[in-house]
Amino acid sequence: MGVPVQGAAPGVASRHQSRLLTLLRDEGPLSRVELGERLELPRARLATELGRLAEVRLVESGGPAASRGGRRSTLVELATDLRFLAVDVGATSIGVAVTDARCEVLAHQSQECDVRQGPTTVLDRVAALAEQVMAEVPGRLVAAGVGLPGPVSFREGMPVAPPIMPGWDRFPVRDRLAGRWGCPVAVDNDVNVMALGERHAGVARSLDDLVFVKVGTGIGCGILLGGRVYRGVAGTAGDIGHIRLDDYGPACACGEVGCLEAYFGGAALARDALTLARSGRSAHLAEVLARQGTLTARDVGVAAASGDFASINLVREGGRRLGHVVASLVSFINPGMVVIGGGVALLGHQLLAEVRSSVYRRSMPLATGNLPIVLSELGDLAGVVGASWLATEHAFAVHRG
Amino acid sequence: MGVPVQGAAPGVASRHQSRLLTLLRDEGPLSRVELGERLELPRARLATELGRLAEVRLVESGGPAASRGGRRSTLVELATDLRFLAVDVGATSIGVAVTDARCEVLAHQSQECDVRQGPTTVLDRVAALAEQVMAEVPGRLVAAGVGLPGPVSFREGMPVAPPIMPGWDRFPVRDRLAGRWGCPVAVDNDVNVMALGERHAGVARSLDDLVFVKVGTGIGCGILLGGRVYRGVAGTAGDIGHIRLDDYGPACACGEVGCLEAYFGGAALARDALTLARSGRSAHLAEVLARQGTLTARDVGVAAASGDFASINLVREGGRRLGHVVASLVSFINPGMVVIGGGVALLGHQLLAEVRSSVYRRSMPLATGNLPIVLSELGDLAGVVGASWLATEHAFAVHRG
């Protein structure tokens, strides 16, 4: 029953403290001299602020720093026993990680879980999994971050009208989990979280303006502008999965027709794979279907990688459609990088080639000249790394009262 | 020869002064009590800052304020003789206005002018027009703002690879005009400038997140996020005119094919109007062609308004294409308002109806639920009001050195 990670609610009392913690998270141990320089803080003031952070055991001394001539300075680092819970709820799986304060994953477990089971069942399973993972790496739990596969009201910490999450509409995810774990919880859309993960520790390190396109069961994108998640007026910015490509296209889970997701989401790929297998156009998929009794988007990826012509075509056609949407997005936003991730990123380099070709052909040279379009570096871990980052961001902010 | 408006280079020395000037520009005369409250400045500090601004004659006393009980406060306003030059260079016209410090247009003149004549000729004509307009309303010239119909490097104050402005690539517009007028000059893309105009004094007053779509000779959009122009990594954000709709579509001035602009820009509409007139599908346009010897986008608008079926169809088809692009844009950015302006906005309510129908049908309800899609309120003046705002923004900022 006992959660081995103890809840702590350390107080970050000033903007200086908040900036110190953020700097130590993003850059690792730094000497007192370096910290003073970076924050332009006089030595006495720095000592006071660090003293307060040490009192609440958020930072600790890390031994002598490398000499830069003159007196040796002392290294400061984030307390090594701080723990953050990072939860990645997908359409068909849940993942839970425990990280340190630098968002390094110390333990991680995931399991299949259908989000359509509803919030009570899914969050119970998340909590059970979290208990197991926390047992692996004891420490002081500070905060938790959660990514959900649908639109989220960040301010209220709950999903709002999520198309593929029946029963979750306005369910108070943040407050339920905060009550259970006794620590602050931040909840966001999974694509925003994955974008933050790639920016903190993945392929987009230190980039301020980027777009993370997730192709999984759903399709969506997270937009970072100036290093921050851009959400739009109603929180729906980046919702590209339901851009309508054709007024007479296939039906979508959202209730409309012809959405990008209805062509190239996980369910659409599985549907098209079944057609290919049953119609005899793909002997490869027919064989897999006979063996498994069912087909998934993953099977299409494997078949395409092994040279199955019909599967390659499916990936290409989907990539072309996705590419058209990404090309528009590049024209609008003119980002510094496009990262493609999510389960269907399995489709890998064939998908990437198709998207690149669409974007480079369809957007203005000035917008694409220095634009890398790349696959996620963190892969399955993008969600939990980003969720951990979200949790640290919340914990290291100054809160009133 | 003499320019009746004298160049002044008043110094804004502190952030407080900058905020005072901005507040007086956006809200008009305010009492000293109100200014102190709004800026949370103690009375003595406010008096010092206002004293300095009065010394350089940026503000002046405007008589007693309305009583709120207790001692009467004095009104403060921006000096009434401050003048800002606002220049709107279009593809086929130039407009110059002189405004006061609140971006109110005091005098305005425009004339036809083909931007393809190149920067030397066009800027000479702008300067000649500016001299005439300034002669109408004497005062102290503080700064100038300029909108250009193509991509601009805001930092360098020059156009960069503009598709419809031959000879302008990297021409130092800002520095040439600043040298001529002896005042600071700010240069930006016309759509960004028009978006700022609508936000300051038009239909989008006080909205922070909005998209201004200009349909004229070119098609583009200005994106304001958090009240500021969002430019993207290479300054091309909002460049929707060259989104490719069809790999085998009509040729575009940019050298590519199938761009939105090649279907629905001013030149495309004139081209299609000619076809309709010559093929006998529009008796109305054929008659106008016989009378004028040529046809423009404006003629299509007039014909459509008078019920010409072929012209109405042209507007509808263009509006549908524009609507698809705007729908994607709404899905990505989730703005608080979409404003449609530029010459083709003449096409008015038929165009608006078509765009609205596309967006409301194709974007997610959460993004469109409270989304007004409206015509520009400032019309032809959006460019100069925005250019004046750009000029005041530059003049009221604190500059180093």
Side-chain angles (χ1 to χ4, degrees):
Chain A
M1 291 291 288
V3 179
V5 177
Q6 294 298 306
V12 175
S14 75
R15 252 188 71 239
H16 291 310
Q17 291 173 27
S18 174
R19 289 179 61 207
L20 283 165
L21 294 167
T22 303
L23 200 59
L24 293 169
R25 174 194 65 193
D26 295 339
E27 310 210 357
L30 289 169
S31 74
R32 281 170 175 262
V33 170
E34 286 167 320
L35 284 171
E37 286 171 4
R38 296 289 291 276
L39 267 65
E40 297 180 7
L41 274 186
R43 199 189 296 186
R45 182 63 187 272
L46 179 71
T48 313
E49 301 287 7
L50 285 177
R52 285 193 193 131
L53 289 175
E55 263 170 42
V56 290
R57 295 192 295 148
L58 282 171
V59 303
E60 55 197 30
S61 188
S67 173
R68 303 199 300 179
R71 250 190 356 157
R72 279 254 171 132
S73 182
T74 321
L75 276 184
V76 178
E77 62 184 344
L78 291 165
T80 47
D81 66 340
L82 300 178
R83 296 291 174 262
F84 293 82
L85 255 178
V87 178
D88 180 15
V89 176
T92 59
S93 67
I94 52 175
V96 176
V98 168
T99 78
D100 64 14
R102 297 200 59 207
C103 309
E104 287 281 346
V105 174
L106 304 175
H108 177 237
Q109 289 189 36
S110 63
Q111 53 188 227
E112 294 197 353
C113 176
D114 190 335
V115 78
R116 291 172 298 183
Q117 293 178 313
T120 311
T121 306
V122 172
L123 294 183
D124 277 350
R125 291 188 55 189
V126 163
L129 196 58
E131 233 173 281
Q132 288 177 36
V133 182
M134 287 194 283
E136 294 180 37
V137 276
R140 285 181 295 143
L141 178 62
V142 181
V146 179
L148 297 178
V152 167
S153 164
F154 184 70
R155 200 176 48 78
E156 298 170 290
M158 54 176 61
V160 177
I164 61 168
M165 303 171 68
W168 288 76
D169 188 23
R170 304 199 66 79
F171 187 88
V173 174
R174 179 189 62 198
D175 296 345
R176 288 298 168 89
L177 292 179
R180 196 188 281 252
W181 289 328
C183 71
V185 175
V187 179
D188 204 344
N189 187 300
D190 59 352
V191 286
N192 293 340
V193 168
M194 290 161 112
L196 290 169
E198 289 292 341
R199 178 167 187 264
H200 177 71
V203 68
R205 241 175 306 246
S206 82
L207 271 180
D208 278 346
D209 301 283
L210 74 107
V211 165
F212 182 96
V213 178
K214 179 198 142 197
V215 188
T217 304
I219 296 180
C221 78
I223 304 171
L224 301 189
L225 302 181
R228 304 169 62 91
V229 172
Y230 176 74
R231 299 175 196 283
V233 168
T236 73
D239 193 352
I240 62 171
H242 302 282
I243 286 181
R244 185 181 296 186
L245 302 184
D246 185 343
D247 289 347
Y248 302 94
C252 183
C254 74
E256 294 292 338
V257 298
C259 302
L260 175 60
E261 202 169 295
Y263 284 102
F264 197 48
L269 274 175
R271 172 201 67 206
D272 292 347
L274 267 181
T275 308
L276 290 179
R278 287 176 179 155
S279 66
R281 273 178 287 164
S282 166
H284 185 117
L285 289 174
E287 189 202 313
V288 178
L289 176 62
R291 196 169 62 237
Q292 301 180 344
T294 179
L295 284 174
T296 65
R298 191 171 292 257
D299 298 321
V300 177
V302 174
S306 76
D308 178 56
F309 188 70
S311 298
I312 292 175
N313 263 353
L314 213 54
V315 173
R316 286 218 175 128
E317 203 181 313
R320 192 174 50 78
R321 286 207 172 86
L322 178 64
H324 289 185
V325 170
V326 174
S328 298
L329 197 158
V330 165
S331 294
F332 294 147
I333 307 258
N334 182 203
M337 180 181 272
V338 174
V339 183
I340 298 179
V344 176
L346 260 187
L347 305 177
H349 292 280
Q350 267 160 348
L351 170 63
L352 196 61
E354 208 57 48
V355 172
R356 280 180 174 155
S357 139
S358 279
V359 173
Y360 294 147
R361 202 170 59 234
R362 285 176 167 248
S363 302
M364 289 280 276
L366 209 57
T368 57
N370 291 309
L371 178 72
I373 302 177
V374 297
L375 290 178
S376 157
E377 203 174 277
L378 297 175
D380 282 350
L381 288 180
V384 288
V385 171
S388 163
W389 193 92
L390 200 64
T392 60
E393 195 67 2
H394 188 277
F396 295 166
V398 183
H399 298 279
R400 306 150 304 278
Chain B
M1 290 296 288
V3 178
V5 176
Q6 294 297 307
V12 175
S14 74
R15 253 189 69 239
H16 291 311
Q17 291 173 28
S18 175
R19 290 179 62 207
L20 282 165
L21 294 167
T22 304
L23 200 59
L24 293 169
R25 174 194 66 193
D26 296 339
E27 310 211 356
L30 290 170
S31 73
R32 284 171 173 262
V33 170
E34 285 166 321
L35 284 171
E37 284 172 5
R38 295 290 291 277
L39 266 65
E40 296 181 8
L41 274 185
R43 197 190 298 185
R45 182 64 187 271
L46 178 71
T48 312
E49 301 286 7
L50 285 177
R52 284 193 193 131
L53 289 175
E55 263 169 44
V56 291
R57 295 192 297 148
L58 282 171
V59 304
E60 54 196 32
S61 188
S67 174
R68 303 199 300 180
R71 249 190 354 156
R72 279 256 172 130
S73 180
T74 322
L75 276 184
V76 178
E77 62 185 344
L78 290 165
T80 47
D81 66 342
L82 299 179
R83 296 291 174 261
F84 293 83
L85 255 178
V87 178
D88 180 16
V89 176
T92 59
S93 66
I94 52 175
V96 176
V98 168
T99 78
D100 64 13
R102 297 200 60 208
C103 309
E104 286 281 346
V105 174
L106 305 175
H108 177 238
Q109 290 189 34
S110 62
Q111 52 188 228
E112 294 198 351
C113 176
D114 190 334
V115 79
R116 291 171 298 183
Q117 293 177 312
T120 311
T121 305
V122 172
L123 294 184
D124 277 349
R125 291 187 56 189
V126 163
L129 196 59
E131 232 173 281
Q132 289 176 36
V133 182
M134 287 193 283
E136 294 180 36
V137 275
R140 286 181 293 143
L141 177 61
V142 180
V146 179
L148 297 177
V152 167
S153 164
F154 184 71
R155 201 176 47 79
E156 299 171 287
M158 54 176 62
V160 177
I164 62 167
M165 302 170 70
W168 289 75
D169 188 24
R170 302 199 68 77
F171 187 88
V173 174
R174 179 188 62 199
D175 297 345
R176 288 298 168 90
L177 292 178
R180 197 187 280 252
W181 290 328
C183 73
V185 175
V187 179
D188 204 344
N189 188 301
D190 60 351
V191 286
N192 293 340
V193 168
M194 290 161 112
L196 290 169
E198 289 292 341
R199 178 168 187 264
H200 176 71
V203 69
R205 244 174 304 247
S206 82
L207 271 180
D208 279 345
D209 301 281
L210 73 107
V211 165
F212 182 96
V213 178
K214 178 198 143 198
V215 188
T217 303
I219 297 180
C221 78
I223 304 171
L224 301 188
L225 302 181
R228 304 170 62 92
V229 173
Y230 175 74
R231 300 173 196 284
V233 168
T236 73
D239 193 353
I240 62 171
H242 302 281
I243 288 180
R244 186 181 294 186
L245 301 184
D246 186 344
D247 288 347
Y248 302 95
C252 183
C254 74
E256 294 292 338
V257 298
C259 303
L260 174 60
E261 203 169 296
Y263 284 103
F264 197 49
L269 275 176
R271 174 200 66 207
D272 292 348
L274 266 182
T275 309
L276 290 179
R278 287 176 177 154
S279 66
R281 272 179 287 164
S282 165
H284 185 117
L285 289 175
E287 190 201 314
V288 178
L289 176 62
R291 198 169 61 236
Q292 301 180 344
T294 178
L295 284 173
T296 65
R298 191 172 292 257
D299 298 321
V300 177
V302 173
S306 75
D308 178 55
F309 188 70
S311 298
I312 291 174
N313 263 353
L314 214 53
V315 173
R316 285 218 176 128
E317 204 181 312
R320 192 177 47 79
R321 287 207 171 86
L322 177 65
H324 290 185
V325 170
V326 174
S328 299
L329 197 159
V330 165
S331 294
F332 294 148
I333 308 261
N334 184 204
M337 179 182 273
V338 175
V339 184
I340 297 180
V344 177
L346 262 186
L347 306 177
H349 292 280
Q350 267 159 349
L351 171 63
L352 196 61
E354 208 58 45
V355 172
R356 280 180 174 154
S357 139
S358 278
V359 173
Y360 295 146
R361 200 172 60 234
R362 284 176 169 248
S363 302
M364 289 280 277
L366 209 56
T368 57
N370 291 309
L371 178 71
I373 302 178
V374 296
L375 290 179
S376 157
E377 203 173 277
L378 298 175
D380 283 349
L381 288 180
V384 289
V385 172
S388 164
W389 193 92
L390 201 62
T392 60
E393 195 67 1
H394 188 277
F396 295 166
V398 183
H399 298 280
R400 305 150 304 279

